[in-house]
Amino acid sequence: MKKIKININIYKNFFILLSEKLKLNKILIIIFSIILMFPLYRTGINVYDELQLRLCKFLGIKSFLKYHYEAVLQHQGRMPIPLVLNNYLNFFSTNQKIYKLVEIFIIISNVVLFGYLLYKVTKNKKLSFLSMIIFIAFLPMGWEPVPPNAYTGMYGISISVFLVSLIYYQSYLETENKKFLIISGITYLYSLLTYELFLFYFLLYLVMALKKDNSRLKIVYVNLKYIIIITLSYLFLYFVLRLCYPSAYDGNKLALISLKRTLNQIFFMFRSSFPGYYLFNAKYRFLFRVSNEFSQKSELFINVRIILYMILGVYFINKILKLNTKKIEIKKNIFIIIIILFLMILTLSVRVLSKTNQENPIVGPDLFIGFTNTYFTYFLAVFIISSIVSTFNNKIFKFLAMITFVIFSTSTQIMNEVISLKQEKEYKKLTDAERIFETNEIINWNEKKIFSEDLYKMGLAIGLHKNYWTEISKIKKLNIEVSNKLDNQNGIIISRNIGKREIFLLGTIDSITQDQQILTKNISIFSLNNLESKKVYFKNENNEYNYIELKNGIKDKKFYKYNINFDKTIFTNSIDIVN
């Protein structure tokens, strides 16, 4: 119970400090947090691995454990138990809104613990609050395999646990209470077992120990001894595990093919770690343009959200910059800055030097610009920027800092809004398609084969494995084989887009032409919206164009269903529905 009480006090003390010392209204803090986190709340899943986890959660705990045993232990040679816990906490509910709330809580815990750690170590409120607001306001959304877009539960929980470890280690250095050291060691070990990258962050314990007393190396060693033992024990366990389960995953194997390309990639990822970089990246400027497809209703909401963000952003950054705190002397802390920069390079080098990237480059301005590694270095980059800004106290600099913050953070929020709406739309396509397997109509296709290229094109950057829809049918208590390769199937599912939602057409395969065009005579159209009086255009077997007006739709679960029987077979790829 004591341990739980201490953990709660970490949050409690910090929020008391935030609300009382700065005299900020707690309601405004909550509103500001909601405004910042709403784009994340609306999105779905953006990477294949998390889609697999969601699918395994649908299939049950045995499937969830089997996935981690095969993918983590056997394939990667890594300890699966901590990752099972992290992922299960993230996906304890398959309801999108619930697991998004869990992810938001994880991100907020990252931010709060990061700010509290900086305050506890430096006793500088400005540095602490400045780091928090920069971190959360510039946190980018996109399609990169990095939190908050992906792996938020898998690694975000571990980062919070690691930050708790550093906080308790600082408490130990201040009080020499062994209880704090034990908690720090246990949480450090948990972090190591989830991701070997935490091994490099032993350097932070070293920096904290040296900051406490760098005059006597013996004292530094005594303060670090427990952490050193845990680090060496983990290394021993890591290599024993790799001997027992050799990794078949090239992502955790090192290689070097081109030194010049490697250095360029490290420098590139170093830049992409800093807040605001996505605004200047050509790939994301392009994605912003192609994703910018709002309705008047969504534009109104975005304008309100952005205006509220700007008002509260100015309020908070102004309050923080006006704080009268002890000035940080960069010259006296140059050693810490050097260690942080070295740690950033070390963290990024591991990703760039992976065999996966060396043999088939995946890092670059037009490729991936962020990985889990860059979420780690984002913390460090935010600390460097906040440390520099905190050193200046003149009014002109504060004004320029506030204007810079508002302009670029607002631009980041606009980009996040646009991208999150695109991600929401793409994820809804996927979940809408899954609902087809809940309809009464699909029961007629049990024990049959269905062909569908369209279903396997969903998910944007997610990517779907070849048995995904077959497994979805099993989850729905059916046995339907769904493939994107023509192979004597009985039916076909195609999709068409009308407005914001996807329309699905399920039809029989009556014949196939020599050039692999499919003809059907019967289709059922499924739409979540009423399509009464909408026109379906098509081309028949005689290459004649015609249309049918939709009438007499019936409800089938959540869908409106329209059954059509054509006089002649029609080409499925010619079907179009006009809004």
Side-chain angles (χ1 to χ4, degrees), residues 60-221:
I61 187 65
K62 288 184 179 179
S63 178
F64 199 79
L65 293 173
K66 182 182 177 183
Y67 171 81
H68 285 85
Y69 174 74
E70 292 177 350
V72 179
L73 182 61
Q74 289 188 324
H75 182 64
Q76 298 182 5
R78 298 166 66 190
M79 178 66 71
I81 296 174
L83 286 177
V84 170
L85 295 174
N86 284 8
N87 288 327
Y88 198 83
L89 282 172
N90 195 179
F91 287 96
F92 81 92
S93 172
T94 51
N95 181 291
Q96 179 191 354
K97 301 306 180 186
I98 294 177
Y99 70 68
K100 278 298 166 183
L101 285 173
V102 172
E103 289 186 349
I104 288 170
F105 175 78
I106 292 167
I107 293 294
I108 290 175
S109 73
N110 285 175
V111 178
V112 171
L113 289 168
F114 178 53
Y116 185 71
L117 172 66
L118 292 179
Y119 174 74
K120 193 164 180 63
V121 173
T122 65
K123 302 299 185 288
N124 188 298
K125 295 190 292 292
K126 182 188 287 187
L127 173 62
S128 173
F129 296 133
L130 194 58
S131 296
M132 288 176 65
I133 196 169
I134 290 175
F135 186 103
I136 199 74
F138 284 92
L139 189 63
M141 295 188 64
W143 287 275
E144 310 306 307
V146 55
N149 312 311
Y151 308 126
T152 303
M154 188 179 291
Y155 299 117
I157 291 173
S158 296
I159 287 173
S160 286
V161 171
F162 179 71
L163 290 169
V164 167
S165 176
L166 293 175
I167 289 167
Y168 279 120
Y169 186 69
Q170 179 63 24
S171 295
Y172 163 72
L173 293 176
E174 293 172 356
T175 64
E176 296 187 357
N177 188 327
K178 290 294 179 65
K179 177 179 66 177
F180 294 143
L181 182 60
I182 291 170
I183 294 172
S184 176
I186 292 171
T187 47
Y188 174 49
L189 179 60
Y190 183 91
S191 302
L192 284 172
L193 291 173
T194 57
Y195 199 17
E196 52 269 24
L197 194 64
F198 284 105
L199 191 66
F200 298 143
Y201 287 73
F202 166 81
L203 289 173
L204 296 181
Y205 295 96
L206 175 62
V207 169
M208 292 166 70
L210 288 171
K211 189 176 184 299
K212 170 67 176 177
D213 188 345
N214 59 12
S215 60
R216 290 174 294 174
L217 290 178
K218 185 178 179 180
I219 298 297
V220 173
Y221 170 73

Side-chain angles (χ1 to χ4, degrees), residues 32 309-319 402 405-406:
F32 193 56
Y309 167 76
M310 291 177 68
I311 293 170
L312 291 174
V314 169
Y315 174 76
F316 283 122
I317 193 69
N318 183 54
K319 282 282 186 180
M402 183 176 70
F405 171 85
V406 172

Side-chain angles (χ1 to χ4, degrees), residues 23-71:
K23 298 179 181 179
L24 300 176
N25 193 309
K26 291 180 181 179
I27 296 175
L28 290 181
I29 296 172
I30 293 170
I31 293 171
F32 193 56
S33 300
I34 291 172
I35 288 170
L36 286 166
M37 290 290 101
F38 191 80
L40 176 60
Y41 176 70
R42 66 155 62 97
T43 61
I45 292 174
N46 297 307
V47 296
Y48 171 76
D49 288 345
E50 292 201 326
L51 194 67
Q52 277 290 91
L53 287 171
R54 173 177 171 269
L55 190 61
C56 290
K57 186 64 170 59
F58 273 136
L59 292 169
I61 187 65
K62 288 184 179 179
S63 178
F64 199 79
L65 293 173
K66 182 182 177 183
Y67 171 81
H68 285 85
Y69 174 74
E70 292 177 350

